[in-house]
């Protein structure tokens, strides 16, 4: 591994100043679970690291009425242990619970999961369906970016070289909303997703009908995607049988453009993405679309 200069700012202002002065040659590090692997593989061009893990302003979870704000360096374990997450955004809870092992979750952060911009990042489909926004800061400006506009490609985001991702905002689920997160990895436990997906449905006054549907899938395209054709079908059809759910899940076929890699072939990924949506919807249907 090459020689690295390490910076440990205590405040966000100090961090933004240092990052601005070292634009282009400095990389942010939070939990380091992803970055250290890349450093060891020689995949990081920068030779300066800005460790943001000791900055209090970047940590913690805030109840903001209909919204929840999560500071970028809040760890996955801290998110799982917060009572608001399990009750108000169970989709995100299930997504984070599926990430890696307890040891990794104790140090890895949600900001790192998002900024890493892996198409297989497990928090991302959940943030998509929960109307997520990313907050960034530099010494010049603050930005609030819809999560769907944040990702430009694998490992590519709209973050500028002097910006830090400071937090994420999501919308709480209402009592008339149901949903799920599902993931298929290569093995149980700490596996990176072969495909993952999340769904949120807002119930209509008529049974088995939904006034709003949000569907997202990961690892089936260069970035996590919304499955709009499936969403439209869920909003226009009565979801009254497993056959109907099978038909709607099959529409996923038209929305994904996966690649083949070591974790799965194109065809396998396409089939798994259909199955993920089918099984999740079928569980909800068989449970009477009740919030469990
Ligand atoms: C064994 C193992 C298993 C894993 N399993 C999973 C899994 O099941 N699911 C999954 O989604 N991921 C998994 N990961 C990947 C990784 O643990 C997660 O993506 C984690 O959330 C990254 O967070 P971090 O704080 O460690 O990020 P870091 O490694 O510190 O950073 C990751 C990237 O984001 C940038 N970055 C971090 N924070 C910020 C910020 N606030 N502002 C700007 N840029 C920032 C860094 O510069 C770097 O490019 C796994 C990793 C390992 C090693």
């Amino acid at each position: 591994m090459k020689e690295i200069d390490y910076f440990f700012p205590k405040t966000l202002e100090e961090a933004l100043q240092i990052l601005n002065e070292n634009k282009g040659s400095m990389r942010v590090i939070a939990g380091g679970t992803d970055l250290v692997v890349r450093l060891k593989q020689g995949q990081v061009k920068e030779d300066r690291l800005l460790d943001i893990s000791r900055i209090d302003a970047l940590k913690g979870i805030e109840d903001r009425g209909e919204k929840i704000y999560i500071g970028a360096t809040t760890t996955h374990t801290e998110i799982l242990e917060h009572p608001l997450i399990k009750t108000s955004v169970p989709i995100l809870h299930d997504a984070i619970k599926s990430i890696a092992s307890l040891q990794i979750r104790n140090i890895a952060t949600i900001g790192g999961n998002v900024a890493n911009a892996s198409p297989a990042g497990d928090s991302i489909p959940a943030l998509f369906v929960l109307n997520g926004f990313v907050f960034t800061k530099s010494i010049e400006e603050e930005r609030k970016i819809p999560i769907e506009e944040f990702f430009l490609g694998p490992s590519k985001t709209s973050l500028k070289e002097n910006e830090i991702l400071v937090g994420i905002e999501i919308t709480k689920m209402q009592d008339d909303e149901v949903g799920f997160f599902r993931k298929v990895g290569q093995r149980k436990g700490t596996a990176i997703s072969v495909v993952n997906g999340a769904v949120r449905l807002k119930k209509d006054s008529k049974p088995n009908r939904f006034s709003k549907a949000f569907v997202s899938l990961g690892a089936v395209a260069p970035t996590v995607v919304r499955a709009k054709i499936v969403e439209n079908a869920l909003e226009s059809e009565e979801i009254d049988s497993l056959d109907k759910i099978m038909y709607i899940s099959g529409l996923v076929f038209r929305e994904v453009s996966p690649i083949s890699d070591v974790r799965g072939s194109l065809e396998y990924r396409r089939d798994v993405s259909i199955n993920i949506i089918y099984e999740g919807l079928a569980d909800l249907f068989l449970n009477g679309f009740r919030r469990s």
Side-chain angles (χ1 to χ4, degrees), residues 19 27-38 49 52 58 72-73 76 95 98-101 104-105 107-118 120-124 150 159 163-167 183 187 189-193 196:
L19 188 58
R27 185 82 166 242
V28 169
I29 182 165
T33 59
D34 218 277
L35 196 59
V36 170
V37 175
R38 287 190 189 213
L49 291 184
I52 56 170
L58 294 178
T73 60
H76 297 317
S98 81
I99 294 180
S101 59
I104 299 266
R105 289 197 298 270
I107 47 173
T109 66
I110 188 157
N113 198 244
V114 171
N116 200 35
S118 162
D122 284 316
S123 72
I124 302 170
F150 185 66
L159 266 181
E163 272 182 327
I164 291 178
L165 191 168
V166 292
K183 151 178 180 173
R187 59 181 189 280
T190 61
I192 306 282
S193 289
N196 57 17

Side-chain angles (χ1 to χ4, degrees), residues 57-165:
L58 294 178
K59 289 185 211 294
I61 296 176
E62 277 174 40
D63 188 344
R64 294 188 172 173
E66 289 180 358
K67 314 266 182 191
I68 299 174
Y69 179 83
I70 307 177
T73 60
T74 311
T75 65
H76 297 317
T77 297
E78 286 162 346
I79 294 173
L80 288 178
E81 287 175 351
H82 199 287
L84 197 57
I85 301 297
K86 187 154 188 167
T87 53
S88 301
V89 280
I91 300 173
L92 181 65
H93 189 272
D94 289 351
I96 302 265
K97 204 168 64 184
S98 81
I99 294 180
S101 59
L102 179 63
Q103 290 89 330
I104 299 266
R105 289 197 298 270
N106 283 344
I107 47 173
T109 66
I110 188 157
N113 198 244
V114 171
N116 200 35
S118 162
D122 284 316
S123 72
I124 302 170
L127 299 175
F128 265 53
V129 302
L130 293 167
N131 191 27
F133 282 87
V134 171
F135 289 75
T136 68
K137 265 190 188 173
S138 69
I139 58 158
E140 297 124 16
E141 60 172 348
E142 297 182 10
R143 297 196 291 150
K144 180 179 175 184
I145 309 163
I147 188 118
E148 288 171 48
E149 292 170 22
F150 185 66
F151 301 104
L152 306 178
S155 306
K156 288 204 183 76
T157 70
S158 60
L159 266 181
K160 298 176 188 161
E161 282 181 332
N162 65 345
E163 272 182 327
I164 291 178
L165 191 168

Side-chain angles (χ1 to χ4, degrees), residues 13-290:
E13 293 65 34
E14 197 191 335
L16 292 173
Q17 198 67 46
I18 297 172
L19 188 58
N20 197 59
E21 284 161 12
N22 292 279
K23 248 191 296 204
S25 62
M26 177 170 266
R27 185 82 166 242
V28 169
I29 182 165
T33 59
D34 218 277
L35 196 59
V36 170
V37 175
R38 287 190 189 213
L39 275 168
K40 285 186 180 153
Q41 292 168 345
Q43 291 174 3
V44 177
K45 68 173 180 7
E46 295 86 350
D47 56 7
R48 288 164 194 198
L49 291 184
L50 183 72
D51 190 323
I52 56 170
S53 63
R54 296 184 190 171
I55 301 174
D56 287 341
L58 294 178
K59 289 185 211 294
I61 296 176
E62 277 174 40
D63 188 344
R64 294 188 172 173
E66 289 180 358
K67 314 266 182 191
I68 299 174
Y69 179 83
I70 307 177
T73 60
T74 311
T75 65
H76 297 317
T77 297
E78 286 162 346
I79 294 173
L80 288 178
E81 287 175 351
H82 199 287
L84 197 57
I85 301 297
K86 187 154 188 167
T87 53
S88 301
V89 280
I91 300 173
L92 181 65
H93 189 272
D94 289 351
I96 302 265
K97 204 168 64 184
S98 81
I99 294 180
S101 59
L102 179 63
Q103 290 89 330
I104 299 266
R105 289 197 298 270
N106 283 344
I107 47 173
T109 66
I110 188 157
N113 198 244
V114 171
N116 200 35
S118 162
D122 284 316
S123 72
I124 302 170
L127 299 175
F128 265 53
V129 302
L130 293 167
N131 191 27
F133 282 87
V134 171
F135 289 75
T136 68
K137 265 190 188 173
S138 69
I139 58 158
E140 297 124 16
E141 60 172 348
E142 297 182 10
R143 297 196 291 150
K144 180 179 175 184
I145 309 163
I147 188 118
E148 288 171 48
E149 292 170 22
F150 185 66
F151 301 104
L152 306 178
S155 306
K156 288 204 183 76
T157 70
S158 60
L159 266 181
K160 298 176 188 161
E161 282 181 332
N162 65 345
E163 272 182 327
I164 291 178
L165 191 168
V166 292
I168 286 150
E169 183 189 78
I170 44 179
T171 303
K172 287 180 191 168
M173 289 173 71
Q174 302 300 308
D175 291 343
D176 62 351
E177 293 184 334
V178 290
F180 62 85
F181 168 84
R182 288 200 170 221
K183 151 178 180 173
V184 170
Q186 273 182 310
R187 59 181 189 280
K188 283 230 173 281
T190 61
I192 306 282
S193 289
V194 174
V195 177
N196 57 17
V199 169
R200 174 163 69 105
L201 300 172
K202 188 170 189 60
K203 292 188 217 173
D204 192 84
S205 51
K206 298 190 199 95
N208 298 329
R209 286 209 171 257
F210 299 95
S211 58
K212 203 85 198 87
F214 302 87
V215 179
S216 69
L217 286 160
V220 294
T223 66
V224 172
V225 290
R226 284 271 293 279
K228 301 260 173 143
I229 300 171
V230 178
E231 291 178 355
N232 288 340
L234 286 166
E235 288 168 7
S236 56
E237 301 274 345
E238 190 177 353
I239 315 299
D240 54 356
S241 68
L242 290 176
D243 282 348
K244 184 68 71 63
I245 291 173
M246 179 63 87
Y247 157 70
I248 290 177
S249 310
L251 297 173
V252 164
F253 194 80
R254 294 210 237 147
E255 314 225 39
V256 298
S257 49
I259 53 159
S260 296
D261 67 10
V262 286
R263 286 199 287 276
S265 68
L266 180 163
E267 293 80 9
Y268 176 67
R269 279 208 161 92
R270 215 161 39 196
D271 290 350
V272 171
S273 54
I274 293 170
N275 278 348
I276 277 184
I277 299 300
Y278 174 76
E279 287 175 13
L281 289 174
D283 273 1
L284 289 178
F285 171 68
L286 295 172
N287 194 31
F289 293 111
R290 275 186 297 274

